[in-house]
PDB file of all heavy atoms in Angstrom:
ATOM      1  N   LEU P 477     196.568 154.383  48.841  1.00 86.00           N
ATOM      2  CA  LEU P 477     195.404 155.241  48.995  1.00 86.00           C
ATOM      3  C   LEU P 477     194.822 155.759  47.672  1.00 86.00           C
ATOM      4  O   LEU P 477     193.606 155.691  47.493  1.00 86.00           O
ATOM      5  CB  LEU P 477     195.744 156.394  49.938  1.00 86.00           C
ATOM      6  CG  LEU P 477     194.682 156.705  50.976  1.00 86.00           C
ATOM      7  CD1 LEU P 477     194.231 155.458  51.678  1.00 86.00           C
ATOM      8  CD2 LEU P 477     195.207 157.701  51.980  1.00 86.00           C
ATOM      9  N   PRO P 478     195.649 156.269  46.739  1.00 86.00           N
ATOM     10  CA  PRO P 478     195.034 156.835  45.527  1.00 86.00           C
ATOM     11  C   PRO P 478     194.135 155.855  44.778  1.00 86.00           C
ATOM     12  O   PRO P 478     192.974 156.189  44.519  1.00 86.00           O
ATOM     13  CB  PRO P 478     196.243 157.262  44.687  1.00 86.00           C
ATOM     14  CG  PRO P 478     197.348 157.398  45.642  1.00 86.00           C
ATOM     15  CD  PRO P 478     197.092 156.455  46.763  1.00 86.00           C
ATOM     16  N   PRO P 479     194.606 154.633  44.456  1.00 84.00           N
ATOM     17  CA  PRO P 479     193.673 153.724  43.789  1.00 84.00           C
ATOM     18  C   PRO P 479     192.486 153.383  44.669  1.00 84.00           C
ATOM     19  O   PRO P 479     191.353 153.248  44.198  1.00 84.00           O
ATOM     20  CB  PRO P 479     194.511 152.480  43.504  1.00 84.00           C
ATOM     21  CG  PRO P 479     195.707 152.591  44.352  1.00 84.00           C
ATOM     22  CD  PRO P 479     195.938 154.035  44.581  1.00 84.00           C
ATOM     23  N   PHE P 480     192.741 153.268  45.961  1.00 87.00           N
ATOM     24  CA  PHE P 480     191.662 152.957  46.901  1.00 87.00           C
ATOM     25  C   PHE P 480     190.587 154.033  46.831  1.00 87.00           C
ATOM     26  O   PHE P 480     189.393 153.749  46.774  1.00 87.00           O
ATOM     27  CB  PHE P 480     192.250 152.878  48.305  1.00 87.00           C
ATOM     28  CG  PHE P 480     191.301 152.374  49.338  1.00 87.00           C
ATOM     29  CD1 PHE P 480     191.265 151.029  49.638  1.00 87.00           C
ATOM     30  CD2 PHE P 480     190.450 153.230  49.996  1.00 87.00           C
ATOM     31  CE1 PHE P 480     190.388 150.562  50.591  1.00 87.00           C
ATOM     32  CE2 PHE P 480     189.572 152.767  50.942  1.00 87.00           C
ATOM     33  CZ  PHE P 480     189.543 151.424  51.244  1.00 87.00           C
ATOM     34  N   MET P 481     191.033 155.275  46.845  1.00 88.00           N
ATOM     35  CA  MET P 481     190.094 156.400  46.827  1.00 88.00           C
ATOM     36  C   MET P 481     189.253 156.397  45.556  1.00 88.00           C
ATOM     37  O   MET P 481     188.067 156.697  45.587  1.00 88.00           O
ATOM     38  CB  MET P 481     190.869 157.727  46.924  1.00 88.00           C
ATOM     39  CG  MET P 481     191.306 158.038  48.326  1.00 88.00           C
ATOM     40  SD  MET P 481     189.855 158.156  49.403  1.00 88.00           S
ATOM     41  CE  MET P 481     190.564 157.772  50.975  1.00 88.00           C
ATOM     42  N   ASP P 482     189.904 156.059  44.447  1.00 86.00           N
ATOM     43  CA  ASP P 482     189.167 156.006  43.187  1.00 86.00           C
ATOM     44  C   ASP P 482     187.998 155.043  43.266  1.00 86.00           C
ATOM     45  O   ASP P 482     186.874 155.371  42.904  1.00 86.00           O
ATOM     46  CB  ASP P 482     190.107 155.559  42.050  1.00 86.00           C
ATOM     47  CG  ASP P 482     191.068 156.660  41.681  1.00 86.00           C
ATOM     48  OD1 ASP P 482     190.816 157.811  42.068  1.00 86.00           O
ATOM     49  OD2 ASP P 482     192.067 156.366  41.016  1.00 86.00           O
ATOM     50  N   ILE P 483     188.295 153.853  43.761  1.00 87.00           N
ATOM     51  CA  ILE P 483     187.222 152.851  43.824  1.00 87.00           C
ATOM     52  C   ILE P 483     186.189 153.260  44.869  1.00 87.00           C
ATOM     53  O   ILE P 483     184.992 153.042  44.694  1.00 87.00           O
ATOM     54  CB  ILE P 483     187.787 151.463  44.157  1.00 87.00           C
ATOM     55  CG1 ILE P 483     188.936 151.130  43.228  1.00 87.00           C
ATOM     56  CG2 ILE P 483     186.711 150.418  44.043  1.00 87.00           C
ATOM     57  CD1 ILE P 483     188.543 150.827  41.846  1.00 87.00           C
ATOM     58  N   LEU P 484     186.679 153.864  45.953  1.00 90.00           N
ATOM     59  CA  LEU P 484     185.755 154.316  46.989  1.00 90.00           C
ATOM     60  C   LEU P 484     184.757 155.307  46.404  1.00 90.00           C
ATOM     61  O   LEU P 484     183.566 155.273  46.719  1.00 90.00           O
ATOM     62  CB  LEU P 484     186.560 154.967  48.119  1.00 90.00           C
ATOM     63  CG  LEU P 484     185.777 155.218  49.390  1.00 90.00           C
ATOM     64  CD1 LEU P 484     185.444 153.904  50.046  1.00 90.00           C
ATOM     65  CD2 LEU P 484     186.569 156.084  50.338  1.00 90.00           C
ATOM     66  N   LEU P 485     185.261 156.173  45.544  1.00 89.00           N
ATOM     67  CA  LEU P 485     184.396 157.160  44.902  1.00 89.00           C
ATOM     68  C   LEU P 485     183.319 156.453  44.085  1.00 89.00           C
ATOM     69  O   LEU P 485     182.147 156.839  44.125  1.00 89.00           O
ATOM     70  CB  LEU P 485     185.250 158.042  43.990  1.00 89.00           C
ATOM     71  CG  LEU P 485     184.720 159.444  43.756  1.00 89.00           C
ATOM     72  CD1 LEU P 485     184.733 160.233  45.050  1.00 89.00           C
ATOM     73  CD2 LEU P 485     185.574 160.148  42.722  1.00 89.00           C
ATOM     74  N   LEU P 486     183.734 155.433  43.372  1.00 87.00           N
ATOM     75  CA  LEU P 486     182.779 154.655  42.588  1.00 87.00           C
ATOM     76  C   LEU P 486     181.701 154.066  43.492  1.00 87.00           C
ATOM     77  O   LEU P 486     180.503 154.098  43.198  1.00 87.00           O
ATOM     78  CB  LEU P 486     183.532 153.534  41.858  1.00 87.00           C
ATOM     79  CG  LEU P 486     182.838 152.839  40.704  1.00 87.00           C
ATOM     80  CD1 LEU P 486     182.691 153.783  39.545  1.00 87.00           C
ATOM     81  CD2 LEU P 486     183.623 151.628  40.264  1.00 87.00           C
ATOM     82  N   LEU P 487     182.179 153.547  44.621  1.00 91.00           N
ATOM     83  CA  LEU P 487     181.288 152.942  45.612  1.00 91.00           C
ATOM     84  C   LEU P 487     180.280 153.973  46.110  1.00 91.00           C
ATOM     85  O   LEU P 487     179.068 153.717  46.147  1.00 91.00           O
ATOM     86  CB  LEU P 487     182.157 152.454  46.774  1.00 91.00           C
ATOM     87  CG  LEU P 487     181.586 151.455  47.749  1.00 91.00           C
ATOM     88  CD1 LEU P 487     181.578 150.098  47.110  1.00 91.00           C
ATOM     89  CD2 LEU P 487     182.430 151.413  48.995  1.00 91.00           C
ATOM     90  N   LEU P 488     180.786 155.144  46.486  1.00 90.00           N
ATOM     91  CA  LEU P 488     179.914 156.177  47.036  1.00 90.00           C
ATOM     92  C   LEU P 488     178.966 156.698  45.955  1.00 90.00           C
ATOM     93  O   LEU P 488     177.811 157.019  46.236  1.00 90.00           O
ATOM     94  CB  LEU P 488     180.749 157.329  47.601  1.00 90.00           C
ATOM     95  CG  LEU P 488     181.597 156.941  48.801  1.00 90.00           C
ATOM     96  CD1 LEU P 488     182.395 158.133  49.290  1.00 90.00           C
ATOM     97  CD2 LEU P 488     180.744 156.382  49.925  1.00 90.00           C
ATOM     98  N   PHE P 489     179.469 156.722  44.731  1.00 88.00           N
ATOM     99  CA  PHE P 489     178.637 157.188  43.636  1.00 88.00           C
ATOM    100  C   PHE P 489     177.418 156.285  43.466  1.00 88.00           C
ATOM    101  O   PHE P 489     176.275 156.745  43.420  1.00 88.00           O
ATOM    102  CB  PHE P 489     179.474 157.212  42.353  1.00 88.00           C
ATOM    103  CG  PHE P 489     178.682 157.518  41.140  1.00 88.00           C
ATOM    104  CD1 PHE P 489     178.312 158.820  40.869  1.00 88.00           C
ATOM    105  CD2 PHE P 489     178.288 156.513  40.284  1.00 88.00           C
ATOM    106  CE1 PHE P 489     177.561 159.109  39.751  1.00 88.00           C
ATOM    107  CE2 PHE P 489     177.538 156.801  39.167  1.00 88.00           C
ATOM    108  CZ  PHE P 489     177.175 158.100  38.899  1.00 88.00           C
ATOM    109  N   PHE P 490     177.670 154.973  43.422  1.00 89.00           N
ATOM    110  CA  PHE P 490     176.547 154.037  43.309  1.00 89.00           C
ATOM    111  C   PHE P 490     175.621 154.174  44.507  1.00 89.00           C
ATOM    112  O   PHE P 490     174.410 154.042  44.398  1.00 89.00           O
ATOM    113  CB  PHE P 490     177.051 152.597  43.192  1.00 89.00           C
ATOM    114  CG  PHE P 490     177.359 152.191  41.783  1.00 89.00           C
ATOM    115  CD1 PHE P 490     178.659 152.066  41.345  1.00 89.00           C
ATOM    116  CD2 PHE P 490     176.335 151.936  40.888  1.00 89.00           C
ATOM    117  CE1 PHE P 490     178.943 151.699  40.051  1.00 89.00           C
ATOM    118  CE2 PHE P 490     176.603 151.572  39.591  1.00 89.00           C
ATOM    119  CZ  PHE P 490     177.906 151.452  39.164  1.00 89.00           C
ATOM    120  N   MET P 491     176.231 154.434  45.667  1.00 92.00           N
ATOM    121  CA  MET P 491     175.431 154.584  46.871  1.00 92.00           C
ATOM    122  C   MET P 491     174.462 155.742  46.712  1.00 92.00           C
ATOM    123  O   MET P 491     173.267 155.608  47.038  1.00 92.00           O
ATOM    124  CB  MET P 491     176.359 154.830  48.060  1.00 92.00           C
ATOM    125  CG  MET P 491     175.772 154.421  49.359  1.00 92.00           C
ATOM    126  SD  MET P 491     177.045 154.576  50.611  1.00 92.00           S
ATOM    127  CE  MET P 491     176.881 156.307  50.962  1.00 92.00           C
ATOM    128  N   VAL P 492     174.953 156.870  46.202  1.00 89.00           N
ATOM    129  CA  VAL P 492     174.091 158.048  46.054  1.00 89.00           C
ATOM    130  C   VAL P 492     173.001 157.772  45.029  1.00 89.00           C
ATOM    131  O   VAL P 492     171.828 158.092  45.251  1.00 89.00           O
ATOM    132  CB  VAL P 492     174.932 159.281  45.671  1.00 89.00           C
ATOM    133  CG1 VAL P 492     174.029 160.443  45.305  1.00 89.00           C
ATOM    134  CG2 VAL P 492     175.831 159.669  46.820  1.00 89.00           C
ATOM    135  N   ILE P 493     173.386 157.133  43.905  1.00 86.00           N
ATOM    136  CA  ILE P 493     172.364 156.801  42.903  1.00 86.00           C
ATOM    137  C   ILE P 493     171.267 155.942  43.509  1.00 86.00           C
ATOM    138  O   ILE P 493     170.077 156.215  43.369  1.00 86.00           O
ATOM    139  CB  ILE P 493     173.003 156.063  41.701  1.00 86.00           C
ATOM    140  CG1 ILE P 493     173.804 157.031  40.858  1.00 86.00           C
ATOM    141  CG2 ILE P 493     171.927 155.410  40.853  1.00 86.00           C
ATOM    142  CD1 ILE P 493     174.303 156.437  39.569  1.00 86.00           C
ATOM    143  N   PHE P 494     171.697 154.913  44.257  1.00 90.00           N
ATOM    144  CA  PHE P 494     170.700 154.027  44.854  1.00 90.00           C
ATOM    145  C   PHE P 494     169.908 154.737  45.948  1.00 90.00           C
ATOM    146  O   PHE P 494     168.746 154.423  46.181  1.00 90.00           O
ATOM    147  CB  PHE P 494     171.355 152.761  45.391  1.00 90.00           C
ATOM    148  CG  PHE P 494     171.478 151.681  44.364  1.00 90.00           C
ATOM    149  CD1 PHE P 494     172.593 151.598  43.556  1.00 90.00           C
ATOM    150  CD2 PHE P 494     170.459 150.767  44.187  1.00 90.00           C
ATOM    151  CE1 PHE P 494     172.699 150.612  42.597  1.00 90.00           C
ATOM    152  CE2 PHE P 494     170.552 149.780  43.234  1.00 90.00           C
ATOM    153  CZ  PHE P 494     171.675 149.700  42.425  1.00 90.00           C
ATOM    154  N   ALA P 495     170.559 155.697  46.626  1.00 90.00           N
ATOM    155  CA  ALA P 495     169.841 156.433  47.669  1.00 90.00           C
ATOM    156  C   ALA P 495     168.718 157.240  47.047  1.00 90.00           C
ATOM    157  O   ALA P 495     167.590 157.260  47.562  1.00 90.00           O
ATOM    158  CB  ALA P 495     170.804 157.341  48.421  1.00 90.00           C
ATOM    159  N   ILE P 496     169.010 157.894  45.905  1.00 85.00           N
ATOM    160  CA  ILE P 496     167.961 158.663  45.219  1.00 85.00           C
ATOM    161  C   ILE P 496     166.838 157.727  44.786  1.00 85.00           C
ATOM    162  O   ILE P 496     165.648 157.976  45.022  1.00 85.00           O
ATOM    163  CB  ILE P 496     168.559 159.402  43.997  1.00 85.00           C
ATOM    164  CG1 ILE P 496     169.545 160.470  44.475  1.00 85.00           C
ATOM    165  CG2 ILE P 496     167.463 160.014  43.160  1.00 85.00           C
ATOM    166  CD1 ILE P 496     170.317 161.135  43.367  1.00 85.00           C
TER     167      ILE P 496
END
Side-chain angles (χ1 to χ4, degrees):
Chain P
L477 224 49
F480 188 93
M481 281 300 155
D482 287 344
I483 309 288
L484 192 69
L485 207 65
L486 196 69
L487 197 76
L488 294 180
F489 173 78
F490 273 106
M491 205 173 83
V492 171
I493 287 188
F494 273 89
I496 294 173

